[in-house]
Amino acid sequence: MERPAWAPRSIDISVPSVSRIYDFYLGGSHNFEVDREAARKAMEFMPGLPKIMQANRAFMRRAVRFAVDEGITQFLDIGSGIPTFGNVHEVAQAASPGAHVVYVDHDPVAVAHSQAVLEGNLDTEVVAADLRKPQEILAAPEVQRLIDLNRPVALLLVAILHFVEDTDDPYGAVAELRDALAPGSLLILTHASYEGIPLPPERAEGTVGVYKDIRNPLIMRSRDKIAQFFEGYDMVEPGLVAMPRWRPDTAPEDEDPFAFSGFAGVGRTA
């Protein structure tokens, strides 16, 4: 397999990556055949996966615009993946020039490509770190340079927590991050769930099995379990809902049925 120029030498391009599979679903070009193969296997069980990812990205853009309208100009995006059109820095800085954005990911391809895309953008940084180690993220020089934790921050945990198993204490990690944020900060979150998927659960389980096979278990939590991530936050209307129903730009009824898989919400610290 030929290694593209943008792929760091340190990565094994024979092993699928969640962030590169996500890039493929969104129509990006920074993925390998091994990623496309895993994505196609998952889509055999759940053909609407690209629609789910597009709904996820559309929610993220609306939530970022909401944050800017609320006066927030600092964004910490953990599990950011590979930047594609309409990512956080593009939306935030278009709405508020000079807004500060820090992307965090543990995938070397996501980090390397983010650095290339963001070269010369002094208001944006990239950190190689893991959500499961919040203190390392908060102590990173890039975060220290751009994020003032004494002022409100928009913390994005978009399509990341469902890749963190309960044994790694995702609730504890989210609480640590919450406790570091100033009052008026926002948590912007999406999470996969069996609830809302227009398929029998046993069919959807086939997709979960594909992610398990590539050693990136997909944890499908219930709405109640997802709501627990917002402990210590006041939910912003309309609460924790299917992605197309969170402050939509267009009628949700026009959306593909798969777009209603999983949940999205925004919470505000008191």
Side-chain angles (χ1 to χ4, degrees):
M1 186 186 305
E2 187 175 346
R3 181 183 297 270
W6 50 263
R9 287 278 164 195
S10 59
I11 69 161
D12 183 350
I13 63 176
S14 68
V15 177
S17 151
V18 165
S19 65
R20 299 195 304 266
I21 292 171
Y22 185 74
D23 178 68
F24 172 73
Y25 290 143
L26 289 175
S29 59
H30 288 82
N31 48 77
F32 307 129
E33 180 54 32
V34 68
D35 306 307
R36 296 188 285 273
E37 182 181 352
R40 286 191 287 264
K41 284 182 181 177
M43 288 170 64
E44 288 177 9
F45 298 99
M46 200 182 299
L49 278 167
K51 293 294 184 183
I52 297 172
M53 305 313 165
Q54 290 161 19
N56 185 79
R57 181 54 59 93
F59 159 77
M60 180 273 289
R61 290 194 291 262
R62 296 195 304 276
V64 168
R65 289 195 296 268
F66 169 79
V68 172
D69 289 345
E70 293 292 297
I72 293 179
T73 57
Q74 305 185 103
F75 296 83
L76 180 59
D77 184 359
I78 301 177
S80 51
I82 297 169
T84 53
F85 177 74
N87 215 310
V88 174
H89 73 283
E90 293 176 332
V91 178
Q93 291 168 359
S96 178
H100 288 181
V101 179
V102 177
Y103 291 117
V104 180
D105 207 285
H106 65 66
D107 185 318
V109 167
V111 172
H113 188 57
S114 298
Q115 289 169 336
V117 168
L118 299 169
E119 187 175 1
N121 185 332
L122 300 181
D123 295 319
T124 310
E125 290 275 17
V126 185
V127 177
D130 195 310
L131 169 61
R132 293 169 293 189
K133 299 178 180 178
Q135 293 308 316
E136 289 186 14
I137 294 172
L138 296 170
E142 298 88 348
V143 174
Q144 298 280 316
R145 184 177 84 81
L146 283 185
I147 304 294
D148 179 359
L149 293 173
N150 294 310
R151 295 193 298 112
V153 175
L155 168 64
L156 289 96
L157 299 176
V158 174
I160 179 63
L161 285 164
H162 48 234
F163 292 114
V164 184
E165 298 181 84
D166 287 341
T167 52
D168 287 321
D169 192 17
Y171 295 99
V174 174
E176 275 193 65
L177 291 164
R178 178 201 64 213
D179 291 346
L181 301 179
S185 294
L186 297 178
L187 170 61
I188 297 171
L189 181 152
T190 64
H191 197 296
S193 176
Y194 285 122
E195 297 175 42
I197 296 177
L199 289 173
E202 58 272 17
R203 179 83 181 273
E205 283 173 7
T207 292
V208 174
V210 171
Y211 279 90
K212 185 177 180 180
D213 288 345
I214 64 170
R215 298 183 182 179
N216 282 283
L218 181 58
I219 313 302
M220 305 288 270
R221 296 187 173 95
S222 68
R223 185 185 183 281
D224 288 345
K225 288 291 186 182
I226 297 167
Q228 290 177 24
F229 287 114
F230 286 97
E231 184 176 338
Y233 290 89
D234 295 325
M235 294 301 294
V236 170
E237 289 294 333
L240 187 62
V241 295
M243 293 178 287
R245 299 195 185 282
W246 197 90
R247 302 188 176 223
D249 295 326
T250 58
E253 293 74 23
D254 296 337
E255 292 283 350
D256 185 282
F258 276 97
F260 294 85
S261 307
F263 293 96
V266 176
R268 181 186 284 108
T269 56

